[in-house]
Amino acid sequence: MATHSLVAATSDTIRIWDLGVSSTKQKTSSAYQRGHRSSQSSGSSSNGLGSGAEHAHIATDVVHTADKPAGAIDSITAVSWASDGNTFVVGGRGTSMRQYGRTGETLQDIKLNRQTERGGSMSIAAVKHYGSASESLFVGNSTVRQVRRWDFVRKEYTTCQTHESDISCLAVCAKKRIVASATAQGGEIALFNLQYNTRSDLRSATHKALTCIDIAPGLRSHVSVGSEDGLLQLFDATRSGGAPLRSFSHLHSAPLRGLEFHALSSSTLVTVGLDKRVVVTDANAYSASSNTGSALEIRTQAPLTCLACAQDPYTIGVGTIDGDVLVYDARMTPTPLWSATVRPNHAVVAMDIAMARTDGSASSQPLARSTSQRESRSSGRPGGRSIGYSSSDDGAIAGVQPDRRRVRGLATSIDRPRPHDDKPTSESLLVSGKRADTSRRPPQHPSISRFRAAITEHRRHSAAAPLPKPVEPP
Protein backbone atom coordinates (compact mmCIF):
# COMPACT_ATOMS: atom_id res chain seq x y z
CA MET A 1 0.00 0.00 0.00
CA ALA A 2 1.28 3.45 -0.94
CA THR A 3 0.55 6.53 1.14
CA HIS A 4 -0.21 9.85 -0.54
CA SER A 5 0.00 13.06 1.47
CA LEU A 6 -2.35 15.54 -0.17
CA VAL A 7 -2.62 19.19 0.79
CA ALA A 8 -5.28 21.51 -0.60
CA ALA A 9 -6.09 25.09 0.24
CA THR A 10 -8.72 27.73 -0.36
CA SER A 11 -7.90 31.39 0.20
CA ASP A 12 -7.98 30.96 4.00
CA THR A 13 -8.24 27.24 4.82
CA ILE A 14 -5.64 24.46 4.57
CA ARG A 15 -6.39 20.76 4.94
CA ILE A 16 -4.10 17.74 4.72
CA TRP A 17 -5.06 14.13 4.01
CA ASP A 18 -2.99 10.95 4.35
CA LEU A 19 -4.50 8.60 1.78
CA GLY A 20 -3.73 4.89 1.80
CA VAL A 21 -3.93 3.65 -1.81
CA SER A 22 -3.97 -0.09 -2.50
CA SER A 23 -3.99 -1.82 -5.88
CA THR A 24 -7.11 -3.96 -5.81
CA LYS A 25 -10.41 -3.88 -7.61
CA GLN A 26 -11.52 -0.27 -7.81
CA LYS A 27 -14.04 1.17 -5.37
CA THR A 28 -15.69 4.48 -6.05
CA SER A 29 -16.47 7.30 -3.70
CA SER A 30 -20.04 6.59 -2.57
CA ALA A 31 -20.66 10.10 -1.26
CA TYR A 32 -19.76 11.58 -4.58
CA GLN A 33 -21.87 9.03 -6.50
CA ARG A 34 -25.02 9.76 -4.49
CA GLY A 35 -25.42 13.10 -6.22
CA HIS A 36 -22.92 15.49 -4.61
CA ARG A 37 -21.26 15.70 -8.02
CA SER A 38 -21.53 13.46 -11.10
CA SER A 39 -18.87 12.66 -13.67
CA GLN A 40 -19.07 11.34 -17.18
CA SER A 41 -16.35 9.96 -19.36
CA SER A 42 -16.01 10.90 -22.99
CA GLY A 43 -12.90 8.88 -23.72
CA SER A 44 -11.13 5.68 -22.90
CA SER A 45 -7.91 5.05 -21.05
CA SER A 46 -5.63 4.04 -23.84
CA ASN A 47 -2.33 5.17 -25.35
CA GLY A 48 -0.19 3.70 -22.64
CA LEU A 49 -2.09 4.62 -19.51
CA GLY A 50 -3.02 1.02 -18.90
CA SER A 51 -6.31 -0.80 -18.40
CA GLY A 52 -5.43 -3.88 -16.39
CA ALA A 53 -7.72 -5.85 -14.11
CA GLU A 54 -6.32 -4.30 -10.94
CA HIS A 55 -7.00 -0.69 -10.06
CA ALA A 56 -6.31 1.47 -7.06
CA HIS A 57 -8.78 2.38 -4.37
CA ILE A 58 -8.54 4.53 -1.25
CA ALA A 59 -8.31 2.23 1.74
CA THR A 60 -7.76 4.81 4.49
CA ASP A 61 -7.87 8.56 4.82
CA VAL A 62 -6.74 10.71 7.74
CA VAL A 63 -7.50 14.40 7.69
CA HIS A 64 -5.68 17.28 9.39
CA THR A 65 -6.53 20.97 9.42
CA ALA A 66 -3.54 23.31 9.37
CA ASP A 67 -3.22 26.33 11.62
CA LYS A 68 -4.65 29.53 10.22
CA PRO A 69 -1.94 31.65 8.55
CA ALA A 70 -3.29 34.79 10.21
CA GLY A 71 -0.75 37.57 10.50
CA ALA A 72 1.51 36.12 7.79
CA ILE A 73 -0.74 35.45 4.78
CA ASP A 74 -3.91 37.34 3.99
CA SER A 75 -4.92 35.22 0.97
CA ILE A 76 -3.38 31.85 0.00
CA THR A 77 -2.39 31.30 -3.65
CA ALA A 78 0.30 28.57 -3.68
CA VAL A 79 1.42 25.44 -1.84
CA SER A 80 4.33 23.02 -2.29
CA TRP A 81 5.37 19.79 -0.56
CA ALA A 82 9.01 19.21 0.34
CA SER A 83 10.63 16.21 -1.31
CA ASP A 84 10.65 14.20 1.95
CA GLY A 85 6.89 14.61 2.32
CA ASN A 86 7.18 15.82 5.91
CA THR A 87 6.79 19.58 5.44
CA PHE A 88 5.11 21.96 3.01
CA VAL A 89 5.20 25.70 2.37
CA VAL A 90 2.22 27.96 1.77
CA GLY A 91 2.48 31.32 0.03
CA GLY A 92 0.10 34.09 -0.97
CA ARG A 93 -0.55 37.77 -0.45
CA GLY A 94 1.04 38.89 2.79
CA THR A 95 4.33 39.62 4.51
CA SER A 96 5.60 36.04 4.89
CA MET A 97 5.34 32.47 3.70
CA ARG A 98 4.65 29.76 6.25
CA GLN A 99 6.15 26.30 6.61
CA TYR A 100 3.96 23.56 8.09
CA GLY A 101 4.50 20.02 9.29
CA ARG A 102 2.65 17.15 7.66
CA THR A 103 -0.06 17.23 10.32
CA GLY A 104 -0.66 20.99 9.98
CA GLU A 105 1.45 22.42 12.80
CA THR A 106 3.28 25.69 12.13
CA LEU A 107 7.07 25.34 11.89
CA GLN A 108 8.35 28.75 10.81
CA ASP A 109 7.56 31.93 8.87
CA ILE A 110 9.72 32.93 5.91
CA LYS A 111 9.85 36.69 5.41
CA LEU A 112 9.24 37.89 1.87
CA ASN A 113 11.19 41.13 2.20
CA ARG A 114 14.93 41.36 2.05
CA GLN A 115 16.86 43.38 4.59
CA THR A 116 17.35 46.11 2.00
CA GLU A 117 13.62 46.33 1.29
CA ARG A 118 11.10 47.95 3.54
CA GLY A 119 8.19 46.08 4.99
CA GLY A 120 4.87 45.67 3.23
CA SER A 121 2.58 43.08 1.76
CA MET A 122 3.72 41.14 -1.31
CA SER A 123 1.94 38.78 -3.68
CA ILE A 124 3.32 35.28 -4.31
CA ALA A 125 2.13 33.52 -7.47
CA ALA A 126 3.87 30.15 -7.03
CA VAL A 127 6.32 28.26 -4.80
CA LYS A 128 8.33 25.15 -5.69
CA HIS A 129 10.77 23.10 -3.62
CA TYR A 130 14.10 22.20 -5.17
CA GLY A 131 16.65 19.45 -4.45
CA SER A 132 16.43 15.92 -3.06
CA ALA A 133 16.55 17.32 0.47
CA SER A 134 14.47 20.42 -0.42
CA GLU A 135 17.31 22.65 0.67
CA SER A 136 15.91 25.57 -1.30
CA LEU A 137 12.60 27.01 -2.43
CA PHE A 138 11.84 28.93 -5.62
CA VAL A 139 9.36 31.77 -5.22
CA GLY A 140 7.53 33.64 -7.97
CA ASN A 141 7.06 37.12 -6.50
CA SER A 142 4.56 39.13 -8.54
CA THR A 143 5.06 42.32 -6.57
CA VAL A 144 8.73 42.76 -7.49
CA ARG A 145 8.28 40.63 -10.67
CA GLN A 146 11.18 38.37 -9.78
CA VAL A 147 11.88 34.66 -9.39
CA ARG A 148 13.84 34.24 -6.18
CA ARG A 149 15.52 31.28 -4.54
CA TRP A 150 15.25 30.90 -0.78
CA ASP A 151 18.04 28.94 0.93
CA PHE A 152 16.76 27.18 4.05
CA VAL A 153 20.31 26.83 5.42
CA ARG A 154 21.64 30.34 4.80
CA LYS A 155 18.25 31.97 5.38
CA GLU A 156 18.63 34.34 2.44
CA TYR A 157 17.27 35.06 -1.05
CA THR A 158 19.05 35.12 -4.39
CA THR A 159 17.42 36.52 -7.54
CA CYS A 160 17.26 34.29 -10.62
CA GLN A 161 15.39 36.38 -13.18
CA THR A 162 13.21 39.45 -13.52
CA HIS A 163 10.09 39.90 -15.67
CA GLU A 164 8.51 42.98 -17.18
CA SER A 165 5.04 42.14 -15.83
CA ASP A 166 3.47 40.18 -12.97
CA ILE A 167 4.52 36.53 -12.66
CA SER A 168 1.63 34.09 -12.93
CA CYS A 169 3.18 30.59 -12.81
CA LEU A 170 6.43 28.78 -12.08
CA ALA A 171 7.96 25.34 -12.74
CA VAL A 172 11.23 23.71 -11.67
CA CYS A 173 13.04 20.69 -13.14
CA ALA A 174 15.94 19.49 -10.98
CA LYS A 175 17.14 16.97 -13.58
CA LYS A 176 17.74 19.68 -16.16
CA ARG A 177 18.48 22.36 -13.51
CA ILE A 178 16.04 24.74 -15.18
CA VAL A 179 13.51 27.15 -13.71
CA ALA A 180 10.66 28.25 -16.00
CA SER A 181 8.33 31.16 -15.31
CA ALA A 182 5.61 33.01 -17.23
CA THR A 183 3.69 36.24 -16.86
CA ALA A 184 0.06 37.31 -16.74
CA GLN A 185 0.55 39.92 -19.48
CA GLY A 186 2.51 40.05 -22.69
CA GLY A 187 3.10 36.30 -23.05
CA GLU A 188 6.59 36.42 -21.52
CA ILE A 189 8.18 32.99 -20.92
CA ALA A 190 11.66 32.80 -19.39
CA LEU A 191 13.94 29.83 -18.68
CA PHE A 192 16.80 30.15 -16.21
CA ASN A 193 19.67 27.66 -16.25
CA LEU A 194 20.88 27.06 -12.70
CA GLN A 195 24.14 25.47 -13.82
CA TYR A 196 25.38 28.30 -16.05
CA ASN A 197 23.29 31.18 -14.63
CA THR A 198 21.94 32.05 -18.08
CA ARG A 199 18.51 33.06 -19.26
CA SER A 200 16.62 32.10 -22.41
CA ASP A 201 13.25 33.40 -23.59
CA LEU A 202 10.51 31.66 -25.56
CA ARG A 203 7.96 33.34 -27.82
CA SER A 204 4.34 32.65 -26.95
CA ALA A 205 1.74 32.38 -29.70
CA THR A 206 -0.77 34.34 -27.61
CA HIS A 207 -0.69 37.56 -25.60
CA LYS A 208 -3.33 36.32 -23.18
CA ALA A 209 -2.40 35.63 -19.59
CA LEU A 210 -0.30 32.49 -19.14
CA THR A 211 -1.81 30.53 -16.26
CA CYS A 212 0.24 27.31 -15.90
CA ILE A 213 3.61 25.92 -16.96
CA ASP A 214 5.58 22.67 -16.60
CA ILE A 215 8.88 21.12 -17.74
CA ALA A 216 9.12 17.57 -19.11
CA PRO A 217 10.82 15.24 -16.60
CA GLY A 218 12.51 13.00 -19.21
CA LEU A 219 15.44 13.50 -21.52
CA ARG A 220 13.46 15.57 -24.00
CA SER A 221 13.75 19.30 -23.47
CA HIS A 222 10.08 20.18 -23.64
CA VAL A 223 8.26 23.00 -21.88
CA SER A 224 4.48 23.29 -21.97
CA VAL A 225 2.43 26.41 -21.20
CA GLY A 226 -1.33 26.93 -20.80
CA SER A 227 -3.09 30.26 -21.21
CA GLU A 228 -6.28 32.11 -20.36
CA ASP A 229 -7.80 31.48 -23.82
CA GLY A 230 -7.53 27.68 -23.41
CA LEU A 231 -4.47 27.37 -25.68
CA LEU A 232 -1.87 24.74 -24.82
CA GLN A 233 1.64 25.26 -26.26
CA LEU A 234 4.58 22.86 -26.42
CA PHE A 235 8.08 24.38 -26.71
CA ASP A 236 11.60 23.09 -27.28
CA ALA A 237 13.72 24.53 -24.48
CA THR A 238 16.87 24.40 -26.62
CA ARG A 239 15.49 26.96 -29.11
CA SER A 240 15.84 30.35 -27.49
CA GLY A 241 13.26 32.81 -28.78
CA GLY A 242 11.60 30.07 -30.79
CA ALA A 243 7.93 29.67 -31.51
CA PRO A 244 6.07 26.67 -30.04
CA LEU A 245 6.64 23.28 -31.64
CA ARG A 246 2.94 22.53 -31.42
CA SER A 247 -0.19 24.35 -30.30
CA PHE A 248 -3.36 22.65 -29.07
CA SER A 249 -6.32 24.97 -29.45
CA HIS A 250 -9.16 22.43 -29.33
CA LEU A 251 -8.40 20.64 -26.07
CA HIS A 252 -10.17 23.14 -23.80
CA SER A 253 -12.85 25.71 -24.46
CA ALA A 254 -12.17 27.74 -21.29
CA PRO A 255 -9.09 29.02 -19.44
CA LEU A 256 -6.55 26.40 -18.37
CA ARG A 257 -5.98 26.19 -14.63
CA GLY A 258 -3.59 23.25 -14.30
CA LEU A 259 -0.93 21.50 -16.38
CA GLU A 260 1.55 18.72 -15.69
CA PHE A 261 3.60 16.29 -17.76
CA HIS A 262 2.54 12.73 -17.04
CA ALA A 263 5.08 10.59 -15.21
CA LEU A 264 4.86 7.79 -17.80
CA SER A 265 5.97 9.80 -20.81
CA SER A 266 7.50 13.16 -21.64
CA SER A 267 5.01 13.60 -24.46
CA THR A 268 1.87 12.98 -22.36
CA LEU A 269 0.19 16.01 -20.80
CA VAL A 270 -2.49 16.25 -18.10
CA THR A 271 -4.56 19.45 -18.20
CA VAL A 272 -7.60 20.84 -16.37
CA GLY A 273 -9.67 23.94 -17.04
CA LEU A 274 -12.76 25.91 -16.22
CA ASP A 275 -14.61 23.91 -18.91
CA LYS A 276 -15.04 21.14 -16.28
CA ARG A 277 -12.71 18.69 -18.03
CA VAL A 278 -9.62 16.66 -17.17
CA VAL A 279 -7.74 15.76 -20.35
CA VAL A 280 -4.76 13.43 -20.75
CA THR A 281 -3.22 13.96 -24.19
CA ASP A 282 -0.39 12.35 -26.14
CA ALA A 283 1.27 15.29 -27.91
CA ASN A 284 2.80 13.03 -30.57
CA ALA A 285 -0.51 11.39 -31.50
CA TYR A 286 -2.82 14.39 -31.20
CA SER A 287 -4.47 15.66 -34.39
CA ALA A 288 -6.04 19.13 -34.28
CA SER A 289 -8.08 18.56 -37.46
CA SER A 290 -9.86 15.47 -36.14
CA ASN A 291 -9.50 16.38 -32.44
CA THR A 292 -8.19 12.90 -31.69
CA GLY A 293 -5.31 11.74 -29.53
CA SER A 294 -6.77 12.25 -26.05
CA ALA A 295 -5.83 9.22 -23.97
CA LEU A 296 -8.39 10.06 -21.29
CA GLU A 297 -11.07 12.67 -20.79
CA ILE A 298 -13.11 13.12 -17.62
CA ARG A 299 -16.01 15.56 -17.30
CA THR A 300 -17.24 16.99 -14.03
CA GLN A 301 -20.11 19.26 -13.06
CA ALA A 302 -17.92 21.92 -11.40
CA PRO A 303 -15.21 24.00 -13.08
CA LEU A 304 -11.71 22.83 -12.15
CA THR A 305 -9.26 25.29 -10.61
CA CYS A 306 -6.05 23.33 -9.90
CA LEU A 307 -4.25 20.05 -10.59
CA ALA A 308 -1.77 17.80 -8.77
CA CYS A 309 -0.44 14.49 -10.12
CA ALA A 310 1.19 11.88 -7.92
CA GLN A 311 4.25 9.99 -9.09
CA ASP A 312 2.77 6.49 -8.89
CA PRO A 313 1.93 7.45 -11.85
CA TYR A 314 -1.83 6.89 -12.12
CA THR A 315 -3.24 9.09 -9.36
CA ILE A 316 -4.58 12.49 -10.47
CA GLY A 317 -5.95 15.03 -8.01
CA VAL A 318 -8.04 18.06 -8.99
CA GLY A 319 -9.67 20.92 -7.11
CA THR A 320 -13.00 22.52 -7.99
CA ILE A 321 -14.49 25.97 -7.76
CA ASP A 322 -16.94 24.66 -5.12
CA GLY A 323 -14.19 23.71 -2.67
CA ASP A 324 -14.08 19.96 -3.42
CA VAL A 325 -10.99 17.80 -3.93
CA LEU A 326 -11.31 14.78 -6.25
CA VAL A 327 -8.83 11.94 -6.78
CA TYR A 328 -8.97 9.82 -9.97
CA ASP A 329 -7.27 6.70 -11.25
CA ALA A 330 -6.10 7.52 -14.79
CA ARG A 331 -6.20 3.88 -15.90
CA MET A 332 -9.95 3.57 -16.21
CA THR A 333 -12.24 5.54 -13.98
CA PRO A 334 -14.67 8.32 -14.94
CA THR A 335 -15.75 8.41 -11.28
CA PRO A 336 -13.46 9.71 -8.52
CA LEU A 337 -11.85 7.17 -6.23
CA TRP A 338 -12.15 9.61 -3.34
CA SER A 339 -13.55 13.07 -2.68
CA ALA A 340 -13.51 15.57 0.17
CA THR A 341 -14.28 19.21 0.84
CA VAL A 342 -11.78 21.84 1.94
CA ARG A 343 -14.36 24.58 2.51
CA PRO A 344 -17.82 24.64 0.95
CA ASN A 345 -18.45 27.24 -1.76
CA HIS A 346 -14.85 28.43 -1.72
CA ALA A 347 -12.61 27.63 -4.69
CA VAL A 348 -9.59 25.41 -4.17
CA VAL A 349 -6.74 27.69 -5.24
CA ALA A 350 -3.76 25.35 -4.76
CA MET A 351 -2.97 21.70 -4.06
CA ASP A 352 -0.03 19.32 -4.10
CA ILE A 353 0.57 15.59 -3.60
CA ALA A 354 3.60 13.93 -1.98
CA MET A 355 3.80 10.16 -2.33
CA ALA A 356 5.55 7.76 0.02
CA ARG A 357 6.06 4.00 -0.01
CA THR A 358 5.27 2.51 3.36
CA ASP A 359 7.09 -0.61 4.50
CA GLY A 360 6.12 -0.56 8.15
CA SER A 361 8.25 2.47 9.01
CA ALA A 362 6.94 5.88 9.87
CA SER A 363 9.33 7.75 7.59
CA SER A 364 8.17 9.07 4.27
CA GLN A 365 10.22 8.74 1.09
CA PRO A 366 8.48 10.25 -1.94
CA LEU A 367 9.18 8.75 -5.32
CA ALA A 368 11.22 10.80 -7.77
CA ARG A 369 9.48 11.73 -10.97
CA SER A 370 9.88 8.71 -13.23
CA THR A 371 10.46 8.79 -16.95
CA SER A 372 9.00 6.58 -19.63
CA GLN A 373 10.22 3.03 -20.12
CA ARG A 374 11.91 3.95 -23.35
CA GLU A 375 13.78 6.87 -21.78
CA SER A 376 15.01 4.85 -18.79
CA ARG A 377 16.60 2.02 -20.77
CA SER A 378 20.19 1.04 -20.27
CA SER A 379 22.76 2.81 -22.39
CA GLY A 380 24.17 -0.51 -23.57
CA ARG A 381 27.62 0.10 -22.07
CA PRO A 382 29.49 -2.53 -20.06
CA GLY A 383 27.92 -2.86 -16.67
CA GLY A 384 24.50 -1.85 -17.91
CA ARG A 385 24.60 1.59 -16.36
CA SER A 386 21.64 3.74 -17.25
CA ILE A 387 21.63 7.22 -18.72
CA GLY A 388 20.40 10.14 -16.63
CA TYR A 389 19.90 11.06 -13.03
CA SER A 390 18.38 8.80 -10.41
CA SER A 391 17.76 11.67 -8.01
CA SER A 392 16.52 15.21 -8.28
CA ASP A 393 19.49 16.53 -6.34
CA ASP A 394 21.95 18.78 -8.14
CA GLY A 395 24.95 16.65 -7.37
CA ALA A 396 23.44 13.19 -7.06
CA ILE A 397 24.35 11.53 -10.34
CA ALA A 398 24.07 7.81 -10.92
CA GLY A 399 25.64 6.04 -13.88
CA VAL A 400 26.69 7.80 -17.03
CA GLN A 401 25.32 11.23 -17.83
CA PRO A 402 23.81 11.81 -21.27
CA ASP A 403 25.51 14.02 -23.82
CA ARG A 404 25.15 17.61 -22.73
CA ARG A 405 25.10 20.57 -25.06
CA ARG A 406 24.78 24.28 -24.40
CA VAL A 407 22.45 25.75 -26.98
CA ARG A 408 21.79 29.47 -26.78
CA GLY A 409 22.32 29.62 -23.05
CA LEU A 410 20.65 26.33 -22.03
CA ALA A 411 22.36 23.10 -21.04
CA THR A 412 20.20 20.26 -22.33
CA SER A 413 20.36 16.49 -22.52
CA ILE A 414 20.41 15.02 -26.02
CA ASP A 415 19.10 11.50 -26.51
CA ARG A 416 21.77 9.03 -27.59
CA PRO A 417 20.83 6.14 -29.89
CA ARG A 418 20.32 3.07 -27.78
CA PRO A 419 20.30 -0.59 -28.81
CA HIS A 420 16.95 -2.12 -29.74
CA ASP A 421 15.58 1.39 -30.20
CA ASP A 422 14.75 1.47 -33.89
CA LYS A 423 11.53 3.46 -33.60
CA PRO A 424 11.42 6.51 -35.88
CA THR A 425 11.79 9.93 -34.34
CA SER A 426 8.50 11.73 -33.88
CA GLU A 427 7.89 14.61 -36.25
CA SER A 428 6.95 16.82 -33.32
CA LEU A 429 10.62 16.84 -32.24
CA LEU A 430 11.79 18.19 -35.60
CA VAL A 431 11.89 21.85 -36.54
CA SER A 432 11.63 22.45 -40.30
CA GLY A 433 12.81 18.88 -40.87
CA LYS A 434 16.05 19.39 -38.91
CA ARG A 435 17.10 18.87 -35.34
CA ALA A 436 18.08 21.81 -33.19
CA ASP A 437 21.70 22.95 -33.48
CA THR A 438 23.84 21.15 -30.89
CA SER A 439 27.29 22.05 -32.18
CA ARG A 440 28.30 24.29 -29.29
CA ARG A 441 29.54 22.73 -26.07
CA PRO A 442 29.58 24.14 -22.54
CA PRO A 443 32.62 26.33 -21.69
CA GLN A 444 35.69 24.52 -20.44
CA HIS A 445 37.27 25.06 -17.07
CA PRO A 446 39.80 27.94 -17.16
CA SER A 447 42.64 25.67 -16.01
CA ILE A 448 42.10 23.39 -19.01
CA SER A 449 42.20 26.34 -21.39
CA ARG A 450 45.42 27.66 -19.80
CA PHE A 451 47.05 24.25 -20.00
CA ARG A 452 46.23 23.84 -23.68
CA ALA A 453 47.46 27.38 -24.43
CA ALA A 454 50.78 26.63 -22.69
CA ILE A 455 51.23 23.44 -24.73
CA THR A 456 50.50 25.30 -27.96
CA GLU A 457 52.96 28.09 -27.09
CA HIS A 458 55.67 25.59 -26.23
CA ARG A 459 55.24 23.81 -29.56
CA ARG A 460 55.35 27.12 -31.43
CA HIS A 461 58.62 28.16 -29.79
CA SER A 462 60.11 24.72 -30.42
CA ALA A 463 59.25 24.89 -34.11
CA ALA A 464 60.66 28.44 -34.50
CA ALA A 465 63.92 27.82 -32.64
CA PRO A 466 67.01 27.25 -34.87
CA LEU A 467 68.36 23.74 -35.04
CA PRO A 468 71.58 23.17 -33.07
CA LYS A 469 74.81 22.80 -35.06
CA PRO A 470 76.06 19.28 -35.40
CA VAL A 471 79.08 18.47 -33.25
CA GLU A 472 82.10 17.47 -35.30
CA PRO A 473 83.82 14.28 -34.22
CA PRO A 474 87.30 14.75 -32.73
Side-chain angles (χ1 to χ4, degrees):
M1 179 183 294
T3 301
H4 297 263
S5 295
L6 185 152
V7 58
T10 62
S11 60
D12 59 355
T13 304
I14 308 168
R15 302 191 74 183
I16 309 102
W17 292 270
D18 294 330
L19 306 179
V21 183
S22 61
S23 295
T24 58
K25 188 175 181 180
Q26 181 183 354
K27 297 180 181 179
T28 59
S29 174
S30 58
Y32 206 79
Q33 275 187 308
R34 283 195 294 265
H36 182 57
R37 286 288 178 209
S38 61
S39 302
Q40 296 178 350
S41 174
S42 60
S44 59
S45 58
S46 57
N47 296 345
L49 289 180
S51 58
E54 291 187 356
H55 302 282
H57 77 276
I58 307 298
T60 60
D61 61 329
V62 180
V63 61
H64 308 280
T65 301
D67 300 334
K68 293 283 186 179
I73 304 173
D74 299 329
S75 179
I76 300 171
T77 57
V79 63
S80 174
W81 274 108
S83 58
D84 59 4
N86 291 323
T87 63
F88 63 91
V89 172
V90 174
R93 186 171 60 253
T95 59
S96 304
M97 297 179 294
R98 180 162 291 182
Q99 186 182 39
Y100 290 91
R102 64 179 304 165
T103 57
E105 69 277 11
T106 301
L107 299 181
Q108 65 171 324
D109 287 346
I110 304 171
K111 293 295 183 181
L112 295 177
N113 298 326
R114 297 178 177 178
Q115 294 180 356
T116 58
E117 296 172 344
R118 295 184 178 181
S121 178
M122 289 190 173
S123 179
I124 300 301
V127 291
K128 296 290 181 182
H129 281 86
Y130 182 80
S132 60
S134 296
E135 61 274 7
S136 60
L137 179 77
F138 283 93
V139 182
N141 194 322
S142 295
T143 302
V144 296
R145 299 177 177 179
Q146 290 180 346
V147 176
R148 294 176 173 179
R149 183 175 185 176
W150 168 259
D151 193 318
F152 283 99
V153 178
R154 298 180 179 179
K155 305 293 184 181
E156 62 182 11
Y157 285 103
T158 56
T159 300
C160 295
Q161 57 193 11
T162 303
H163 288 270
E164 296 181 357
S165 60
D166 295 347
I167 298 174
S168 59
C169 51
L170 174 72
V172 178
C173 183
K175 290 184 179 180
K176 298 181 177 67
R177 305 180 188 181
I178 293 177
V179 179
S181 55
T183 61
Q185 297 177 356
E188 185 182 358
I189 306 171
L191 307 179
F192 185 80
N193 190 294
L194 298 172
Q195 184 175 6
Y196 299 106
N197 294 327
T198 55
R199 170 172 170 163
S200 178
D201 292 287
L202 302 176
R203 187 172 71 251
S204 175
T206 178
H207 290 283
K208 297 291 185 179
L210 303 176
T211 56
C212 47
I213 189 170
D214 197 21
I215 306 172
L219 297 180
R220 295 175 180 174
S221 301
H222 285 174
V223 176
S224 188
V225 183
S227 60
E228 193 73 22
D229 55 359
L231 180 66
L232 177 64
Q233 303 176 76
L234 184 66
F235 293 89
D236 184 356
T238 64
R239 300 176 66 242
S240 177
L245 292 177
R246 301 194 68 182
S247 296
F248 308 90
S249 58
H250 297 86
L251 285 180
H252 291 271
S253 58
L256 286 170
R257 283 296 180 261
L259 160 68
E260 286 195 24
F261 279 94
H262 199 272
L264 282 181
S265 173
S266 295
S267 62
T268 304
L269 294 161
V270 184
T271 57
V272 298
L274 296 181
D275 56 353
K276 311 173 186 179
R277 296 167 63 229
V278 183
V279 180
V280 183
T281 305
D282 187 350
N284 294 333
Y286 179 79
S287 174
S289 58
S290 59
N291 198 23
T292 59
S294 297
L296 176 69
E297 180 177 337
I298 301 173
R299 295 182 181 271
T300 65
Q301 291 286 5
L304 303 176
T305 55
C306 54
L307 167 71
C309 294
Q311 313 306 323
D312 52 354
Y314 299 110
T315 303
I316 298 176
V318 297
T320 71
I321 201 171
D322 290 342
D324 298 324
V325 176
L326 313 176
V327 175
Y328 291 92
D329 183 358
R331 287 172 287 190
M332 64 157 289
T333 176
T335 308
L337 300 177
W338 173 87
S339 64
T341 301
V342 181
R343 185 180 179 186
N345 301 322
H346 287 72
V348 179
V349 296
M351 63 184 300
D352 198 10
I353 298 178
M355 176 181 160
R357 284 182 177 175
T358 57
D359 52 358
S361 62
S363 61
S364 175
Q365 296 294 333
L367 295 179
R369 202 170 196 180
S370 60
T371 59
S372 63
Q373 183 178 3
R374 178 182 176 187
E375 292 173 347
S376 61
R377 287 180 179 173
S378 172
S379 63
R381 296 188 177 186
R385 294 187 295 179
S386 60
I387 293 178
Y389 299 99
S390 62
S391 172
S392 60
D393 189 10
D394 283 13
I397 303 175
V400 181
Q401 294 188 31
D403 281 349
R404 301 193 68 82
R405 301 289 187 265
R406 187 181 182 185
V407 183
R408 300 180 184 179
L410 284 177
T412 60
S413 301
I414 308 300
D415 289 339
R416 284 184 175 179
R418 292 181 284 275
H420 312 295
D421 194 1
D422 54 352
K423 296 182 179 180
T425 303
S426 171
E427 294 181 358
S428 64
L429 300 180
L430 302 179
V431 182
S432 301
K434 298 181 180 180
R435 286 189 178 273
D437 180 23
T438 58
S439 58
R440 289 185 287 176
R441 293 179 176 271
Q444 295 178 345
H445 194 275
S447 61
I448 298 178
S449 301
R450 289 194 297 268
F451 175 77
R452 290 185 175 179
I455 294 296
T456 303
E457 187 68 15
H458 175 74
R459 290 178 178 177
R460 188 176 66 83
H461 283 292
S462 298
L467 295 175
K469 296 181 179 180
V471 179
E472 296 181 359

